[in-house]
Amino acid sequence: MSFLLVQALSGLATAATLFLVSSGLTIVFGVTRIVNFAHGSFYMVGAYAGWSLIERFGGTPAGFWGSVAAAALAMGVLGAAMEIGLLRRLYRSPELFQLLGTFGVVLVVQDLTAWAWGPEDLLGRRAPGLKGSIDILDQPFPLYDLVLIGLGPLVLGLLWLLFNRTRWGTLVRAATQDREMTSALGVDPARLFTGVLFLGCALAGLGGALQVPRESVTLQMDMAIVVEAFVVVVVGGMGSLTGAFLASLLIGQLQAFGILVFPQITLVLVFLFMAVVLVLRPHGLLGRPDEAPPTAPATVTVPLLAGRHAGTWALALLPVLAAAPLVAGDYALILLTEVVILALFAASLHLLIGLGGLVSFGHAAWFGLGAYGSALLVRHLDAPMPLALAGAPVLAGLGALVAGWFCVRRSGLYFAMLTLAFAQIVWSIVFQWYAVTGGDNGILGVWPPGWAAGKATYYWLTLALCGGALWLLYRAAFAPFGYALRAGRDSGLRAESVGIDVRRFQWMAFVLAGAAAGLAGGLYAFAKGSVFPTLLAVPQSVDALVMVLMGGIQTITGPLAGAVVFHLLESEVMSLTDWWRLVLGLIIVALVLVFPKGIVGFLSGIRSRT
C-alpha cells in the first residue's frame, strides 16, 4: 500500500506539470483558435532558460524561485512577440495556415536552442531547501515533488480568480465563447490576443523551468510535451480549465500505474484513453458541444485555379516528367522519385482537408502502414515487389476503414486528435513488436528486384503508379462523390436535409485517402530500401500538413506544388548547412506571410484578378 501511495503521488507530480502546459494551450486555443505547435517550444526554452538562471542564481531559495519566475516571464514576452510579429498577420488567413506558421517557429527554435545551449542533455541542480525526501509509510518521496503537487491546484485557483474576478478575464471568457461578438462590442482583439499568448506561453515556460530539478533538459522536450498537452486539452474539453486539470490528474495516474499494470503498451496507453473518452464523450470530459470548433474553416472554398483544367495541365507535364531520366543524373532521379511519392501522400491528405474539411493529425499512420505492409510481405513471405506494392494500399485502407469509423463521428480538433490517437496506437505497435516489425531497428533490405533496380526504371514505375492514383483522386474530386464531400464540408445540416449521408461519404473519403497514402508508403519503402517507425510518427504527419498548406488548400494542385517546394527546400537546405531547421523554418514563415493562401492559391488570386 505504501508503494502504491508513493506511485500515486508521483503521478500527481507529473499531472501538475501537464496541467501547467495544457492550461496555457487551452487558453490560447479557446480565444484565438490557433493550433499552436510552438507551445512545446516555449516549454523547452523555458527549461533551458530556467537551467541557466538556476545555475547562476539558484543557490538560495529566493534565487531559485526567482529564476523560475524570470524564465516564465521571458517565455511570456517571447509568446507575445510571436503574436505581434507573426500570428497577427495571419488572423485573416485560413486557420490552418497559422498552424503552418507555428511549425516554422518550432524549426527555428530548435536550431537556435541547439546553438545557444549545445546538443548535450543538461542536468540542473536541486531546489535549495527541497533536496531531500520525506518518508511516507516508510517509502521515500521527494520533497520537491510534493511542492509540485501543491502548485497545480494553486495555479488553477489563481487562473480561476483571473478569469472570473477581473475585467480582462471576463473579456477572455467572452472571446472564448464568441470572439466576433466580442470584437463588435468594441474590444480590441489584437491586444486581447497578445495578452492571451503572453499568459499561455508564460505557463508553458513555468512548466519547463520547474522540470529542471526533476529531469534532464533536452532538445526533444518540445514535441514530446506538446502532444501530451493536446491530449490533455482534448480529453478535458476545449476551453475548460477545470477539464484540463481533471484530465491531467487522470493521465498522470495512468502514466504512473500503466507502467506497472500494462508495461507492454505504456507508450500507447494515453492515446487509448483519449480515444475511449472521445468515443464516449464527444466533447471531452467537461467540454460543451458549443465549444467544439467548426468542422472546417469557413475560408476553405471550391478549388479555384486547378479545377476542370487540372487534367490538361497534367497531360502537358507528364511527357516532361517522363523524359527526366534522359537528362537527369542518379541523385536528381532519387529526388524526383521522392517528390512524386510525397505528392501522392500530400494529395491523399488534401482529399480530407480540402474537400471534406477534415483535418487529420495522424495521416502518417496510413503512409507508414503501407510501407510496413510492403516490407513485411517481402521480409516474411518473400513476396515479389508487385504483390508487395498491391498489399500496401490494402493494409492501409483496412486500417483507415477501422479508424475512420470512429473518427468521422467527431469534428474539428476532436476529429484531428482522434486521428492522432489511432496513429500513435499504430506507431507504438510497430515500435514495440520486435519479433515482427523489428522495433526501432526497422526492416532493412527492401530493395526492388533486378528488373526495377535501375534509378530510371523505378522512377518510371513510381511515376506511373502515382500518376494513376492522382488521376483517380482527381476524378473523385469532381465526381458526385467529391461534390457530396464539399456539401458536407460547407453545411452538414443542409447536405443531410437533401438526402446526403455526410458521415458515410466522409468515411469513404477517409478510406480512399488512407489507401492512397498506403500506396505512397509502399513505393517509399522500396525507394529507400528500409522502413522505420519514424514513418508513422507525428513529424511525418506534420510534414504532410505542411505540404498541403504550403501549396494551398483551395486548389487541387496545391498539395502537389507544396510537396515539390517543401521536399526540394528540405533536401537542398540540409545539404548546404547544418542549420537546416533554422533556414527551413524561416523560409516556411516567409512563405506563410507572403502567400497566406498557399503558393497555388496566391497564383490563383492573381489569375482571377487579371
Side-chain angles (χ1 to χ4, degrees):
M1 289 299 297
S2 61
F3 173 76
L4 294 178
L5 177 59
V6 169
Q7 198 72 6
L9 291 175
S10 178
L12 290 177
T14 301
T17 301
L18 276 177
F19 173 68
L20 288 176
V21 181
S22 60
S23 62
L25 189 61
T26 196
I27 293 168
V28 170
F29 185 85
V31 177
T32 65
R33 286 295 185 265
I34 293 174
V35 182
N36 183 17
F37 259 83
H39 198 74
S41 298
F42 292 99
Y43 169 84
M44 178 183 69
V45 179
Y48 274 101
W51 178 87
S52 297
L53 293 171
I54 290 170
E55 288 296 308
R56 185 176 180 86
F57 305 108
T60 63
F64 175 83
W65 294 107
S67 299
V68 170
L73 291 175
M75 294 308 100
V77 172
L78 289 178
M82 182 181 73
E83 192 278 334
I84 295 172
L86 174 63
L87 298 180
R88 188 173 295 181
R89 290 161 172 76
L90 300 176
Y91 285 135
R92 293 186 178 181
S93 303
E95 293 177 2
L96 285 174
F97 278 84
Q98 298 153 9
L99 180 150
L100 181 57
T102 59
F103 176 70
V105 172
V106 169
L107 296 178
V108 172
V109 171
Q110 283 181 342
D111 266 4
L112 289 179
T113 304
W115 172 77
W117 283 280
E120 297 84 8
D121 296 353
L122 303 178
L123 295 175
R125 65 168 68 184
R126 298 292 182 181
L130 300 172
K131 296 181 180 180
S133 60
I134 184 173
D135 286 339
I136 300 177
L137 298 180
D138 296 327
Q139 290 284 338
F141 188 77
L143 281 172
Y144 185 75
D145 284 8
L146 281 179
V147 174
L148 286 183
I149 292 173
L151 192 62
L154 176 63
V155 171
L156 176 63
L158 292 175
L159 289 175
W160 185 89
L161 291 175
L162 176 65
F163 290 122
N164 291 276
R165 293 292 184 267
T166 66
R167 182 177 183 275
W168 185 83
T170 302
L171 294 177
V172 170
R173 286 190 293 116
T176 301
Q177 296 180 11
D178 193 336
R179 62 178 176 178
E180 287 78 14
M181 182 58 71
T182 305
S183 179
L185 292 175
V187 177
D188 183 4
R191 295 179 60 184
L192 188 65
F193 289 176
T194 302
V196 166
L197 262 295
F198 175 87
L199 176 61
C201 295
L203 287 170
L206 177 62
L210 287 172
Q211 288 300 102
V212 172
R214 297 188 74 218
E215 61 184 38
S216 60
V217 182
T218 71
L219 293 172
Q220 290 75 43
M221 297 174 71
D222 53 350
M223 290 303 295
I225 194 66
V226 77
V227 173
E228 289 190 354
F230 273 120
V231 171
V232 169
V233 169
V234 171
V235 169
M238 297 304 305
S240 173
L241 280 173
T242 309
F245 183 75
L246 176 60
S248 299
L249 292 178
L250 294 175
I251 290 174
Q253 296 304 313
L254 195 64
Q255 291 178 333
F257 290 99
I259 194 171
L260 302 177
V261 182
F262 305 107
Q264 297 300 320
I265 59 171
T266 304
L267 296 176
V268 74
L269 205 55
V270 171
F271 296 95
L272 279 173
F273 174 66
M274 180 177 70
V276 171
V277 168
L278 290 184
V279 169
L280 300 177
R281 297 275 302 177
H283 305 289
L285 295 175
L286 298 182
R288 296 193 300 268
D290 59 351
E291 291 175 6
T295 301
T299 47
V300 177
T301 58
V302 177
L304 300 172
L305 177 63
R308 292 293 188 183
H309 302 293
T312 305
W313 287 103
L315 289 175
L317 186 60
L318 187 59
V320 178
L321 293 175
L326 302 178
V327 295
D330 285 349
Y331 175 74
L333 284 178
I334 293 173
L335 204 59
L336 281 174
T337 302
E338 293 174 355
V339 165
V340 172
I341 293 171
L342 292 177
L344 176 58
F345 182 36
S348 65
L349 179 58
H350 180 266
L351 178 70
L352 294 177
I353 297 179
L355 299 181
L358 302 169
V359 181
S360 173
F361 286 172
H363 201 61
W366 324 127
F367 183 79
L369 267 182
Y372 267 93
S374 293
L376 290 173
L377 286 172
V378 172
R379 175 82 171 271
H380 296 288
L381 300 180
D382 199 22
M385 187 178 74
L387 180 60
L389 288 177
V394 172
L395 179 61
L398 289 175
L401 183 71
V402 175
W405 190 86
F406 295 97
C407 294
V408 298
R409 281 158 173 75
R410 302 296 171 255
S411 62
L413 190 62
Y414 296 100
F415 170 87
M417 293 304 294
L418 201 51
T419 62
L420 176 63
F422 279 105
Q424 290 297 101
I425 291 170
V426 175
W427 172 84
S428 67
I429 292 172
V430 169
F431 188 82
Q432 293 184 305
W433 200 1
Y434 276 87
V436 176
T437 65
D440 56 349
N441 294 321
I443 299 176
L444 306 178
V446 189
W447 295 108
W451 63 268
K455 298 294 187 296
T457 305
Y458 192 75
Y459 168 74
W460 279 321
L461 175 65
T462 301
L463 184 63
L465 293 177
C466 289
L470 288 170
W471 180 81
L472 288 176
L473 292 176
Y474 166 76
R475 292 290 299 170
F478 290 99
F481 168 78
Y483 287 109
L485 268 182
R486 279 188 288 246
R489 174 201 67 190
D490 295 336
S491 180
L493 292 177
R494 289 184 180 181
E496 293 280 0
S497 69
V498 298
I500 297 175
D501 189 344
V502 174
R503 185 172 294 173
R504 182 170 65 89
F505 277 100
Q506 289 177 340
W507 189 20
M508 293 167 60
F510 198 92
V511 175
L512 178 59
L519 176 59
L523 289 167
Y524 192 82
F526 282 101
K528 290 294 186 179
S530 58
V531 293
F532 296 97
T534 52
L535 295 179
L536 303 100
V538 174
Q540 189 75 20
S541 295
V542 174
D543 284 351
L545 275 172
V546 169
M547 288 184 281
V548 172
L549 298 175
M550 185 178 288
I553 53 179
Q554 294 98 336
T555 62
I556 293 295
T557 55
L560 311 185
V564 173
V565 174
F566 178 75
H567 189 61
L568 291 180
L569 279 176
E570 186 179 38
S571 302
E572 292 303 315
V573 171
M574 287 180 66
S575 65
L576 292 175
T577 176
D578 293 334
W579 303 94
W580 65 270
R581 292 185 185 88
L582 173 66
V583 176
L584 183 60
L586 291 175
I587 291 174
I588 289 175
V589 171
L591 288 174
V592 168
L593 294 175
V594 177
F595 307 118
K597 293 184 179 180
I599 297 171
V600 180
F602 174 78
L603 297 175
S604 161
I606 295 177
R607 182 173 181 269
S608 62
R609 286 194 298 270
T610 54

